[in-house]
Amino acid sequence: MPPRSDDPRRDATGSRRGSSRGSEPREAGLGGISDARAYTPRGRTVREGGGAEQRRTPRSNRSGDPFRPALQVLDGGRAGRAGTREPATDGARSGRRSTAAGGRAGVVRTVSSRPVREPFDDDDDEDAPPRRRSQPRRPAAQPRRPVRKPRRPPRLGDPRRRLRLGTVLALALFASIGVRLVYLQTVDTPAYADGGLPNRLAVVELPAPRGAILDRGGEPLAHSVEARYVFADPTRVKDRFATARLLSPLLGVPVSDLAEKMRKRTLPGTDTPLQFVYLARGVEIGTAKRIMELDLAGINVHRDERREVPGGDLAANLIGFVSQDMNGLEGLEAKYDDVLRGQAGKRTYEVGLGDLAAPIPGGYSRTTQPQPGSSLKLTVDRDLQFMTQRILAKQTAKVKGSVGAAVIIEVPSGEVLAQASQPTYDAANPTKVGSPADRDDAATTFVVDPGSIHKAITYGAALQEGVITPDTAFPVADTIVRGGVTFRDTHPVGGRTMSIPGMLAFSSNVGTIEIAEKLGKDRLFDYQKRFGLGQATGEGMPGEAAGRLLPPDQWSGSAYGSVPIGHSVDATPLQMAAAYATIANNGTYVQPHLVKETIGADGERSPAAAPTTRSVLSPANAAALRQMMEAVTTVDGPDGRATGLAAAVPGYRVAGKTGTGLRYDGGKQQPGEVGSFIGMAPAENPRYVVAVFVWSPGGGGGAVAAPAFREMMGFTLRHYRVPPSLTNKSPKFEVFPR
């Protein structure tokens, strides 16, 4: 059937385009060179012109094809494998290639007008005879294989996506770290900080300056001065025994004690190591500098205070002393320790570890400032105290093994101007003392059987109760028996009539016992309490003895004779001095006291509590008793000499009484006797009362008590510039009235 010109599958020459399947037979003689396969740069075959599909007979010499190596490389070897592995017809091949290249079936594109030679197949037999050019190569009949799609190269990852993903992951990581840090620094901060804080804390106590003890003029009797304390950090001490050997001679502390203090240990009840321990307190600044020059690991010094007593033994028995830790141990230092001590401060701070041990800048630090203690201003006059101690020491030195006490009270205030004890000690070195009893205040702890000085109480009660008058006189025997006990007078008068001043001047035991019997035991006991016996005065000294009175219902037969003359009665020198101050103060008892006022750290002054007062005698009876007691220091005539002539102070009227008593220690009577004298001057208007007591195991105290009184009272009157009694002489006493 002739070809139609309008057939779209035919080209311009009238030839039918190659079929992809090659179903139509080829016409012989239509092949040739024009029908040969041409090689394109991609190794594909296209038909040239519009003739029938023809194969070009391959050259026998493969090396003649200059494009073969390049085509094999570009096409991956598919050009050589096409003739053997896919023996399809040329039309089929050309149809597939045309479809792939043009996108439409049946369209033949002429890639090049130059015929392309078909290369020999790799699997052609080299021994086979060469084919004729006119005869196309016919492939052997083989089953059709499915066309494999070319493998696509793997798609590469998108770098922008990877970058975005990496950024998101990094931001998420940093965000989680940031949240964790914020949580640790806000929520968990206290837990973590507190967990390690104890290991970095150092605690240093800031001592509070101790208040001073001043005399009535503001002069220091005891005060604190700047010093240094030496401390150790046991955790940093390298060799505690070697360190102790170096420090011992400087601190005066045994090596064993220092080594024990520097032993490593923990705080009680915790696992925290102890990092601070005192080695010595109150070290002088010069000594502290020498210690620092040693440069010992774990040893350091800090500001401290030391108690200084300018007068040494001046009022030492009153003031007492403190420990190295500035705690009051005896005397006023112990009694008013809570007032003087103040409140210590404390500094807690973080320190670096290792050899630094220095505060961490910006670290934890807390300081509680110390509160200085208050000062005590006493009623004691240091000049008068000094002379009183000096006189007492001189007089007691005349009596072997003696103990002395002296008290000076101002009338009418009741203020104690001086209170001395002998023996005494240096308050700056309280351990250097012969006996612990030497540190006692004898005026408040020295319990005595007062003896005849008690007679002033008996006569005062009799005057107040109207039993006697200043003009009373009656016969006095040499002895009197009460309860089987004989009481004698030291100055027997043979039953002569004696006046009340005479009985006082000669210290008549018999006359006093007879007056007491008229007074009665109940009234006498009542006046004893009114005068302040049987109870502590509350002067301010710690450990003050209360004394003891014998209640009337416990009186024995002999008590009617012993109690009125001052026996079977226990009292202290201070109690007896306060009783005589009552007589000097027109019959009004005023509680003796040592503390005048308290001065706070800010300078605020707080007066001491007002002393207790009570009326005991009327002013008239008190004046009458004072006048009768002047006979003790003035009577000196053919009928005898008074017992207290040695106590007279030239130029002044003195009223007083001598006494000889006993000493009791722990309820047991001690050997020897207690000589005493208590008096007041000027007698017409008393300003001061002085009491002197001297105990000696061998006796003889009475021989030194009156002279000691005279010196003490004379200095007191001159010290305070009291005018002498020049125009007001003592009256003349009639001992034996007619």
Side-chain angles (χ1 to χ4, degrees), residues 155-169:
R155 296 181 62 183
L156 298 178
D158 189 349
R160 290 176 297 178
R161 291 184 61 188
R162 289 198 302 270
L163 181 60
R164 286 194 295 268
L165 180 60
T167 302
V168 171
L169 292 177

Side-chain angles (χ1 to χ4, degrees), residues 319-662:
I319 296 170
F321 58 92
V322 299
S323 66
Q324 288 188 346
D325 294 331
M326 306 302 288
N327 295 321
L329 298 181
E330 286 190 11
L332 296 175
E333 294 275 19
K335 175 72 173 181
Y336 296 95
D337 183 63
D338 55 342
V339 177
L340 296 168
R341 183 176 56 206
Q343 296 181 356
K346 183 171 61 175
R347 183 187 179 197
T348 305
Y349 58 93
E350 285 187 87
V351 296
L353 301 178
D355 295 334
L356 294 178
I360 299 176
Y364 176 84
S365 178
R366 183 177 182 181
T367 302
T368 302
Q369 295 296 334
Q371 300 295 326
S374 300
S375 298
L376 287 180
K377 189 173 184 180
L378 304 183
T379 60
V380 173
D381 184 327
R382 70 170 187 171
D383 293 335
L384 184 59
Q385 177 74 26
F386 173 78
M387 287 303 300
T388 302
Q389 288 185 210
R390 182 177 179 180
I391 294 169
L392 183 64
K394 182 182 68 174
Q395 294 296 335
T396 55
K398 298 177 181 179
V399 183
K400 184 178 180 180
S402 61
V403 175
V407 179
I408 301 178
I409 299 177
E410 181 185 56
V411 180
S413 66
E415 294 180 353
V416 177
L417 301 179
Q419 189 164 304
S421 300
Q422 185 62 35
T424 184
Y425 69 102
D426 185 357
N429 297 289
T431 58
K432 296 180 180 180
V433 65
S435 171
D438 295 347
R439 298 195 298 258
D440 294 340
D441 174 52
T444 56
T445 61
F446 192 58
V447 179
V448 299
D449 194 344
S452 293
I453 57 175
H454 181 273
K455 292 175 181 177
I457 296 176
T458 303
Y459 285 94
L463 282 172
Q464 186 68 22
E465 294 298 322
V467 174
I468 61 173
T469 65
D471 299 328
T472 299
F474 57 87
V476 178
D478 293 337
T479 62
I480 191 172
V481 177
R482 292 292 182 269
V485 177
T486 301
F487 296 91
R488 305 177 184 275
D489 278 346
T490 56
H491 294 76
V493 295
R496 297 172 64 184
T497 300
M498 184 178 288
S499 65
I500 300 298
M503 296 179 189
L504 287 170
F506 295 150
S507 190
S508 174
N509 292 330
V510 175
T512 304
I513 293 172
E514 291 181 354
I515 292 174
E517 287 180 346
K518 297 178 182 179
L519 178 65
K521 61 179 181 179
D522 291 322
R523 287 191 292 182
L524 179 59
F525 179 75
D526 180 57
Y527 275 91
Q528 285 178 322
K529 293 192 296 181
R530 289 187 184 185
F531 275 100
L533 304 185
Q535 57 185 351
T537 64
E539 175 199 36
M541 290 297 297
E544 181 184 1
R548 183 181 63 86
L549 294 176
L550 186 64
D553 56 355
Q554 297 180 12
W555 282 28
S556 62
S558 62
Y560 288 91
S562 61
V563 173
I565 61 176
H567 297 286
S568 299
V569 177
D570 294 340
T572 64
L574 180 62
Q575 287 175 323
M576 295 306 301
Y580 274 67
T582 302
I583 300 171
N585 193 33
N586 293 323
T588 300
Y589 175 87
V590 179
Q591 177 189 16
H593 51 282
L594 279 169
V595 179
K596 192 176 187 68
E597 62 182 1
T598 302
I599 305 174
D602 56 354
E604 183 179 357
R605 298 175 180 268
S606 301
T612 301
T613 61
R614 58 179 173 269
S615 178
V616 180
L617 302 177
S618 66
N621 288 327
L625 182 58
R626 288 197 304 270
Q627 185 174 354
M628 290 188 295
M629 291 173 63
E630 286 187 68
V632 177
T633 60
T634 58
V635 172
D636 185 10
D639 296 326
R641 302 184 61 186
T643 57
L645 290 179
V649 178
Y652 295 92
R653 294 173 58 180
V654 176
K657 185 69 182 73
T658 57
T660 302
L662 302 173

Side-chain angles (χ1 to χ4, degrees), residues 77-345:
R78 284 194 299 270
R81 289 190 300 268
T84 58
R85 295 182 182 178
E86 294 185 10
T89 61
D90 293 343
R93 294 189 185 99
S94 63
R96 287 192 297 270
R97 295 188 182 109
S98 299
T99 303
R104 290 187 304 178
V107 179
V108 179
R109 294 183 179 180
T110 302
V111 177
S112 175
S113 60
R114 180 179 177 181
V116 180
R117 295 180 183 271
E118 180 180 6
F120 290 104
D121 294 334
D122 293 337
D123 56 353
D124 287 347
D125 188 2
E126 294 181 358
D127 296 335
R131 297 177 182 175
R132 296 176 58 183
R133 293 181 180 271
S134 60
Q135 293 180 352
R137 182 179 180 181
R138 296 180 181 272
Q142 294 180 358
R144 183 177 179 179
R145 297 178 180 178
V147 179
R148 295 180 179 178
K149 296 181 179 180
R151 293 183 178 179
R152 295 182 179 180
R155 296 181 62 183
L156 298 178
D158 189 349
R160 290 176 297 178
R161 291 184 61 188
R162 289 198 302 270
L163 181 60
R164 286 194 295 268
L165 180 60
T167 302
V168 171
L169 292 177
L171 291 177
L173 178 62
F174 284 117
S176 62
I177 295 175
V179 171
R180 181 59 178 165
L181 289 176
V182 172
Y183 185 81
L184 290 176
Q185 295 181 1
T186 56
V187 179
D188 289 349
T189 296
Y192 285 100
D194 294 344
L197 187 61
N199 297 329
R200 303 188 304 273
L201 288 183
V203 180
V204 177
E205 182 178 351
L206 304 178
R210 189 176 180 85
I213 298 179
L214 311 173
D215 80 331
R216 66 187 299 111
E219 299 296 332
L221 298 175
H223 64 107
S224 297
V225 296
E226 183 179 356
R228 298 290 184 267
Y229 66 79
V230 182
F231 67 96
D233 182 352
T235 62
R236 299 181 60 242
V237 175
K238 296 180 179 179
D239 188 340
R240 59 190 178 103
F241 291 100
T243 303
R245 284 191 290 270
L246 293 174
L247 294 176
S248 179
L250 296 175
L251 299 179
V253 181
V255 175
S256 58
D257 293 347
L258 292 175
E260 175 61 24
K261 290 181 178 181
M262 290 184 285
R263 181 175 56 84
K264 293 181 180 180
R265 53 189 179 273
T266 59
L267 295 173
T270 66
D271 296 333
T272 304
L274 181 65
Q275 295 180 304
F276 180 89
V277 61
Y278 283 114
L279 297 183
R281 299 290 304 273
V283 178
E284 293 184 357
I285 297 178
T287 303
K289 290 181 178 179
R290 294 174 59 188
I291 292 174
M292 292 304 297
E293 291 174 355
L294 296 176
D295 195 20
L296 300 174
I299 305 299
N300 210 333
V301 300
H302 201 272
R303 187 182 185 279
D304 194 16
E305 61 176 338
R306 183 181 72 253
R307 203 64 168 171
E308 188 173 90
V309 184
D313 63 350
L314 183 65
N317 301 77
L318 287 178
I319 296 170
F321 58 92
V322 299
S323 66
Q324 288 188 346
D325 294 331
M326 306 302 288
N327 295 321
L329 298 181
E330 286 190 11
L332 296 175
E333 294 275 19
K335 175 72 173 181
Y336 296 95
D337 183 63
D338 55 342
V339 177
L340 296 168
R341 183 176 56 206
Q343 296 181 356

Side-chain angles (χ1 to χ4, degrees), residues 37 39 42-45 68 71-72 75-84 97 118-122:
R37 297 176 61 185
Y39 289 90
R42 297 182 59 88
R44 294 190 180 183
T45 304
R68 184 176 180 84
L71 292 175
Q72 287 179 346
D75 200 33
R78 284 194 299 270
R81 289 190 300 268
T84 58
R97 295 188 182 109
E118 180 180 6
F120 290 104
D121 294 334
D122 293 337

Side-chain angles (χ1 to χ4, degrees), residues 1-7 10-11 13-16 27:
M1 186 174 181
R4 295 178 59 180
S5 59
D6 56 354
D7 190 348
R10 297 182 182 270
D11 55 14
T13 59
S15 299
R16 186 180 178 87
E27 294 181 2

